[in-house]
Amino acid sequence: MDRWIRIEQDDTTWEFDTEFLTSEWTCIWNQGCAGIGAIGDVAGQLGCCSVGAEMLDDEEAMRISAVGAALDPERTQFASAIADGGVLVASESDRASWATRVVDGACIFLNRPGFPGGEGCALHLEAIATGEPHIDVKPSICWQLPLKVEHNIDDASTSRLRGWLRRDWGPEGNDMAYCCTERESPLADAFVGEVPVIESLREELEAILGVDLYAQLAERLSAR
Ligand code: SF4
C-alpha cells in the first residue's frame, strides 16, 4: 500500500505521510524525552527547547515579542531577562530572521525543572491559564512540531505534510543523540500514545489544513 495519500484542494495536491499520521507518536516531554542535543539528556527536561524557536515572519516576531512582554512573572521563570533584553534575537539560521533568545542553554520561555510557577513552556502555561488556544499564543514552529509542512515539492502545486526528520533540524540533526520521531531509539520511545496522530494532533492539523481538508484526510485514513 502506498505510504502517501494524495488529496487535491483548489490548485494544490497535498501529500500526506500515512505512516506518521497513523502512528501512536506523542510528545514525551518530561516523560523520558532525551532532547535534541548531541548527548541525550532526560533529566534536564529541555526537550526540543534547547534551541531558540525560529519565527515564521516579522508579523509573528512582533506578536511573540508582545506576548512575551505581557507574560505573568509568576508563571515565567525568565521574566527579568525578558524585561531586560526582550525575547528575540537575530536568527543564526538562513531559515528565519528572528528566533527566541537562548538563556542558560534553552529557550527563554522554557521554565526549568522545579520552577514553582510551573515547568515547561511559559507561553503554553499562559495559554492554559487564560483559556486561549495554545496555537494562538505560541510560535508556529512550536505548536506544529513534529508536523512538517513542505510547499512546492517537485512543482509549485504540490505540498507535503509528514513527520519531522533529522534533516529538519538543520546540520545539527545528524549529530542528535535522539530524534523522537524515529522508532527504535535506545534512549526513549515516543510512539506510546493512546490514539493515532491524526486524532491526537487534530487541533494542530485543522489549523494547518483547515477543517474540510482535515476531515477528508481523516476519512481517507480511516478507510485504509
Ligand atoms: S516534540 Fe519530541 S523532542 Fe520535542 S519535547 Fe516532545 S518528544 Fe521531546
Side-chain angles (χ1 to χ4, degrees), residues 120-132:
C121 177
L123 296 174
H124 202 102
L125 294 171
E126 177 76 6
I128 292 170
T130 59
E132 291 179 82

Side-chain angles (χ1 to χ4, degrees), residues 169-191:
W169 293 104
E172 295 80 10
N174 291 330
D175 299 326
M176 283 162 40
Y178 171 65
C179 180
C180 71
T181 48
E182 289 178 351
R183 289 185 182 271
E184 296 161 10
S185 165
L187 293 176
D189 185 1
F191 291 84

Side-chain angles (χ1 to χ4, degrees), residues 21-73:
L21 290 167
T22 59
S23 78
E24 63 281 18
W25 180 93
T26 189
C27 177
I28 55 167
W29 176 80
N30 201 14
Q31 298 171 68
C33 171
I36 57 171
I39 298 174
D41 176 15
V42 173
Q45 293 181 23
L46 301 184
C48 43
C49 306
S50 54
V51 293
E54 295 173 357
M55 297 294 107
L56 180 66
D57 51 27
D58 288 350
E59 187 179 334
E60 182 169 272
M62 289 174 61
R63 179 178 66 79
I64 294 299
S65 291
V67 170
L71 285 175
D72 185 338

Side-chain angles (χ1 to χ4, degrees), residues 74-170:
E74 296 280 317
R75 294 192 291 269
T76 310
Q77 182 171 2
F78 295 101
S80 331
I82 291 173
D84 288 345
V87 299
L88 299 180
V89 291
S91 172
E92 294 177 3
S93 149
D94 57 7
R95 297 180 297 262
S97 301
W98 301 97
T100 57
R101 284 172 62 198
V102 170
V103 175
D104 286 349
C107 175
I108 194 168
F109 289 124
L110 182 67
N111 296 342
R112 310 300 154 77
F115 178 63
E119 300 175 349
C121 177
L123 296 174
H124 202 102
L125 294 171
E126 177 76 6
I128 292 170
T130 59
E132 291 179 82
H134 71 100
I135 61 178
D136 290 347
V137 178
K138 297 168 74 171
S140 51
I141 196 169
C142 300
W143 63 259
Q144 289 187 7
L145 202 153
L147 300 170
K148 180 69 178 177
V149 178
E150 298 174 293
H151 296 294
N152 306 326
I153 300 289
D154 299 331
D155 59 65
S157 63
T158 303
S159 296
R160 179 177 290 165
L161 189 149
R162 57 172 172 77
W164 271 63
L165 303 171
R166 281 178 181 267
R167 68 169 185 261
D168 298 319
W169 293 104

